[in-house]
């Protein structure tokens, strides 16, 4: 897996075995669900559901953080990639790396400037193939798009220039041509909304006049006709689109302006004026008719505190596993880190109540807790080291540009690259809701290289080890130990703590369920081969509980 996870603490000499006197500090509590990443600054989330997982994409604020030397304010100009995370339980998140949009769009030449605020959708085309379309703000002056056949790439640019700019019919006057929101409706037609900024030459505070919506051609790479005005009161930025019970739902972030002219808005109904920098929404049956849009109100008031508020937000509403979730960004991670830098955001998520038949979105309060798990994590299938609820002492590094001694990370890689985790003494990762069942686990497999000691701790990162793995190998190998099933049963929080490490790379792990039938001989299935997805994440096409019977022998699934 080409990108490495490096500890954010001091890097030790590879020639010396170091024993950790204490575990590394975490900036996200083990009991908290937010932010989804404990160490990566990212923002402006969008999401999709595919094959039982929710995939989240966002602006790579961390790239700017590193470019700034981990100080000063976020100027956004060096953000030329997007982050990708996924989860199937909403509490443990897998990092898939980043999409190097600048590289993908290199054929644009000077026309490419940055990649902010993505919006993503997907479909099955007429040939039965999956197609994924990702649209992004190319700085503040245009909208670009890339596509793939997988939610994690590899991504390609079907165009040699932005999809939308100031010369696109129907766009001008629009101050900021950015923040796209895309959806494919129930008829299979694509739509894209975009725009933002202070009132344009024809607008005012109530109706800034900068929001646009357009129909997309079947290819999803061209507009089908001109863009039209979308009359969103107090619009500032952060467009997104959803379909709900056959209707189009447009969400956006409001401006800093006063609300003195609210009573002049004829379509306000009984809705009060939205608070500044809040999230509001509108619905319609006919996106291209400005008069058909109905203002529905505010669903995320600005919370007005440093950790969650003050600045503008950007949200995405996503239905997953029968529930609606709202992805957003906050300053919580930055606040916890206390680096002295400012404006570096992190993605969070909350469960939200939605009445689809009435297109009503319930009010959302941002929290540290986040949502409950959709289901428990299965430890008896292969799990990647990049999957975690929180961690201590880790950051991300571009494998291709890594030096022998490095103190910064770049996140300048592609999501189609492989990932592995480099662990130094004291670094750790943690997973929530790991369900060992009533029988419990009797064996553990660590896939790692280098030399070190891994302690498996339960309930707390400072707990006594429930099991210990010592490993020493020059290549990525499996290291197996037996464990006590009476300790590894029920639903637990699991901490992987590397107390000693010398050039240690953590790749994957798996538990084996105890033997209720008394069969004790375990055979390696020589027919089992490692299968890699397009993201470089190892996949397994075998479910179950880690073992199976074939020809009278017991086999261990890997």
């Amino acid at each position: 897996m080409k990108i490495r996870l490096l500890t954010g603490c001091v890097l030790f000499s590879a020639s010396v075995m170091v024993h950790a006197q204490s575990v590394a500090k975490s900036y996200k509590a083990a009991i908290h669900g937010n932010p989804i990443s404990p160490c990566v600054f990212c923002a402006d989330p969008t999401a999709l559901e595919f094959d039982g997982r929710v995939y989240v994409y966002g602006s790579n604020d961390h790239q700017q953080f590193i470019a700034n030397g981990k100080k000063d304010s976020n100027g956004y100009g060096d953000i030329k990639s997007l982050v990708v995370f996924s989860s199937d339980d909403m509490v443990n998140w897998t990092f898939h790396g980043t999409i190097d949009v600048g590289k993908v769009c290199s054929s644009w030449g000077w026309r490419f400037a940055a990649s902010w605020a993505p919006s993503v959708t997907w479909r099955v085309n007429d040939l039965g193939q999956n197609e994924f379309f990702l649209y992004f703000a190319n700085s503040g002056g245009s909208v670009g798009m890339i596509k793939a056949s997988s939610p994690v790439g590899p991504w390609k640019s079907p165009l040699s220039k932005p999809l939308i700019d100031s010369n696109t019919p129907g766009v001008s006057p629009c101050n900021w041509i950015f923040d796209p929101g895309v959806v494919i409706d129930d008829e299979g037609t694509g739509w894209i909304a975009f725009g933002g900024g202070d009132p344009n030459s024809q607008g005012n505070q109530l109706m800034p006049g900068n929001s646009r919506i357009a129909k997309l051609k079947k290819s999803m790479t061209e507009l089908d006709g001109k863009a039209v005005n979308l009359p969103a009161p107090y619009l500032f930025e952060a467009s997104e689109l959803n379909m709900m019970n056959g209707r189009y739902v447009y969400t956006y972030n409001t401006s800093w302006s006063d609300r003195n002219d609210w009573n002049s808005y004829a379509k306000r109904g009984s809705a009060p004026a939205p608070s500044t920098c809040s999230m509001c929404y509108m619905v319609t049956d006919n996106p291209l008719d400005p008069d058909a849009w109905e203002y529905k109100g505010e669903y995320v008031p600005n919370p007005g505190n440093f950790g969650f508020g003050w600045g503008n937000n950007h949200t995405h509403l996503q239905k997953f596993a029968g529930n609606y979730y709202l992805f957003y960004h906050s300053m919580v991670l930055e606040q916890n880190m206390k680096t002295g830098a400012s404006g570096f955001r992190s993605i969070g998520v909350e469960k939200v109540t939605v009445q689809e038949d009435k297109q009503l979105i319930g009010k959302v309060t941002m929290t540290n807790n986040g949502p409950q798990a959709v289901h428990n994590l299965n430890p008896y299938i292969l799990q990647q080291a990049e999957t975690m609820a929180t961690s201590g002492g880790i950051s991300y590094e571009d494998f291709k540009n890594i030096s022998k001694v490095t103190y910064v990370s770049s996140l300048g890689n592609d999501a189609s690259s492989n990932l592995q985790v480099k662990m130094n003494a004291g670094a750790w990762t943690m997973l929530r809701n790991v369900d060992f069942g009533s029988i419990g686990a009797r064996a553990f497999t660590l896939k790692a290289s280098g030399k070190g000691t891994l302690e498996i701790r339960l309930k707390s990162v400072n707990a006594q080890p429930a099991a210990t793995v010592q490993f020493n190998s020059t290549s990525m190998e499996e290291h197996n130990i037996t464990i006590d099933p009476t300790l590894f049963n029920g639903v637990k929080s699991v901490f992987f703590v590397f107390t000693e490490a010398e050039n240690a790379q953590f790749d994957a792990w798996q538990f084996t369920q105890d033997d209720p039938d008394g069969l004790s001989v375990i055979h390696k299935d020589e027919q089992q081969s490692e299968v890699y997805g397009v993201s470089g994440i190892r996949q397994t096409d075998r479910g179950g509980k880690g073992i199976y019977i074939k020809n009278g022998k017991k086999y261990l699934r890997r």
Side-chain angles (χ1 to χ4, degrees):
M1 299 177 168
K2 283 185 183 175
I3 307 159
R4 295 181 180 175
L5 228 86
L6 296 185
T7 60
C9 304
V10 177
L11 299 180
F12 297 90
S13 169
S15 62
V16 179
M17 179 70 74
V18 181
H19 183 78
Q21 300 301 315
S22 61
V23 296
K25 183 178 180 179
S26 176
Y27 300 105
K28 173 186 174 182
I31 61 172
H32 290 162
N34 287 324
I36 65 173
S37 171
C39 55
V40 176
F41 291 123
C42 47
D44 308 317
T46 187
L48 59 82
E49 179 182 359
F50 179 73
D51 198 23
R53 298 186 70 83
V54 59
Y55 289 83
V56 179
Y57 308 77
S59 302
N60 186 2
D61 276 22
H62 211 87
Q63 189 171 28
Q64 185 70 57
F65 180 63
I66 298 304
N68 282 12
K70 300 183 179 181
K71 59 184 180 180
D72 300 329
S73 60
N74 189 352
Y76 313 111
D78 288 300
I79 300 176
K80 303 179 188 299
S81 59
L82 301 168
V83 299
V84 187
F85 291 87
S86 77
S87 177
D88 65 358
D89 62 12
M90 300 303 292
V91 296
N92 297 297
W93 292 90
T94 301
F95 179 62
H96 294 279
T98 64
I99 306 169
D100 189 346
V101 183
K103 180 180 178 181
V104 175
C105 299
S106 59
S107 64
W108 294 18
W110 62 268
R111 294 179 180 86
F112 177 81
S115 56
W116 308 335
S119 185
V120 69
T121 190
W122 74 283
R123 71 181 179 193
V124 178
N125 65 20
D126 294 340
L127 300 177
Q129 301 165 331
N130 295 320
E131 290 184 310
F132 296 82
F133 304 93
L134 188 150
Y135 303 79
F136 63 93
N138 182 37
S139 189
S142 61
V143 171
M145 67 89 59
I146 56 179
K147 65 178 296 188
S149 58
S150 156
V152 288
W155 297 89
K156 296 181 179 180
S157 174
L159 305 174
S160 59
K161 62 179 182 178
L163 170 69
I164 300 169
D165 60 23
S166 59
N167 295 317
T168 302
V171 170
S172 294
C174 181
N175 285 351
W176 296 344
I177 306 169
F178 77 159
D179 284 12
V182 65
V183 73
I184 296 176
D185 67 19
D186 300 339
E187 304 300 321
T189 301
W191 298 86
I192 187 167
F194 58 93
D198 293 326
N200 64 29
S201 59
Q202 300 176 8
N204 53 52
Q205 288 187 344
L206 175 63
M207 286 294 171
N210 291 314
S211 183
R212 301 288 183 271
I213 190 166
K215 185 178 180 181
L216 289 164
K217 290 186 177 180
K218 189 174 183 179
S219 66
M220 301 288 286
T221 64
E222 294 180 78
L223 299 193
D224 187 1
K226 70 177 184 178
V228 302
N229 184 52
L230 197 166
Y234 303 117
L235 167 96
F236 191 67
E237 59 183 2
S239 296
E240 270 283 32
L241 288 171
N242 284 84
M243 292 301 299
M244 199 176 294
N245 197 34
R247 304 194 79 193
Y248 302 83
V249 179
Y250 171 68
T251 60
Y252 66 99
N253 187 261
T254 64
S255 68
W256 294 88
S257 67
D258 63 50
R259 305 302 195 239
N260 295 334
D261 48 3
W262 178 246
N263 289 337
S264 67
Y265 179 43
K267 292 190 175 184
R268 69 186 184 282
S270 60
S275 57
T276 57
C277 303
S278 63
M279 296 301 303
C280 294
Y281 69 115
M282 305 178 73
V283 301
T284 190
D285 295 307
N286 184 359
L288 297 180
D289 180 1
D291 292 331
W293 285 95
E294 175 188 354
Y295 177 79
K296 300 289 280 190
E298 180 182 83
Y299 63 96
V300 185
N302 191 300
N305 64 71
F306 180 72
F308 289 106
W310 293 117
N312 290 351
N313 216 305
H314 195 126
T315 71
H316 175 79
L317 190 66
Q318 181 65 44
K319 192 173 184 179
F320 177 68
N323 297 307
Y324 274 95
Y325 296 90
L326 189 77
F327 292 93
Y328 60 90
H329 62 234
S330 73
M331 303 294 185
V332 169
L333 187 61
E334 177 191 275
Q335 185 181 28
N336 292 343
M337 285 186 175
K338 296 181 173 64
T339 64
S342 63
F344 294 96
R345 303 156 297 177
S346 49
I347 293 174
V349 61
E350 308 289 346
K351 189 176 179 181
V352 58
T353 300
V354 172
Q355 297 182 50
E356 290 183 326
D357 58 336
K358 297 180 180 179
Q359 303 86 52
L360 292 177
I361 306 173
K363 290 288 182 73
V364 179
T365 300
M366 304 174 196
T367 70
N368 288 317
N369 294 331
Q372 297 295 311
V374 172
H375 58 75
N376 294 330
L377 186 142
N378 183 359
Y380 302 124
I381 61 175
L382 187 71
Q383 299 284 354
Q384 298 302 312
E386 305 86 330
T387 301
M388 63 190 75
T390 189
S391 63
I394 65 171
S395 60
Y396 296 92
E397 184 65 46
D398 184 343
F399 179 89
K400 293 172 291 186
N401 297 324
I402 192 170
S403 60
K404 291 182 179 179
V405 179
T406 180
Y407 298 92
V408 298
S409 57
S410 64
L411 279 178
N413 48 276
D414 195 309
S416 61
S417 300
N418 282 342
L419 292 177
Q420 59 192 15
V421 181
K422 180 174 175 60
M423 307 299 289
N424 287 339
W428 54 275
T429 65
M430 174 264 190
L431 297 107
R432 295 171 64 185
N433 300 90
V434 180
D435 191 355
F436 293 100
S438 59
I439 297 173
R442 64 165 183 78
F444 174 75
T445 298
L446 166 70
K447 191 154 190 176
S449 65
K451 185 178 180 181
T453 301
L454 164 65
E455 291 186 358
I456 307 174
R457 304 179 184 181
L458 305 176
K459 296 183 180 180
S460 167
V461 69
N462 294 309
Q464 291 298 309
T468 301
V469 186
Q470 293 183 324
F471 59 95
N472 188 355
S473 61
T474 57
S475 60
M476 196 64 68
E477 296 179 1
E478 292 183 353
H479 308 273
N480 303 292
I481 61 168
T482 58
I483 57 179
D484 184 354
T486 64
L487 298 178
F488 291 89
N489 60 19
V491 179
K492 299 283 197 304
S493 293
V494 176
F495 297 79
F496 295 119
V497 183
F498 283 71
T499 58
E500 296 179 314
E502 179 183 318
N503 195 29
Q505 301 287 344
F506 180 22
D507 184 61
W509 59 271
Q510 184 174 357
F511 287 88
T512 302
Q513 194 174 37
D514 195 20
D515 242 341
D517 55 12
L519 292 174
S520 58
V521 179
I522 299 294
H523 302 267
K524 184 176 180 181
D525 184 355
E526 300 297 339
Q527 297 179 352
Q528 175 74 18
S529 61
E530 290 182 327
V531 178
Y532 294 81
V534 293
S535 67
I537 300 296
R538 284 178 185 78
Q539 309 292 321
T540 174
D541 56 0
R542 297 179 177 181
K545 299 180 179 179
I547 53 176
Y548 67 101
I549 306 297
K550 184 173 73 175
N551 299 327
K553 293 182 179 181
K554 192 172 192 178
Y555 289 84
L556 174 65
R557 284 194 176 109
R558 300 193 186 279

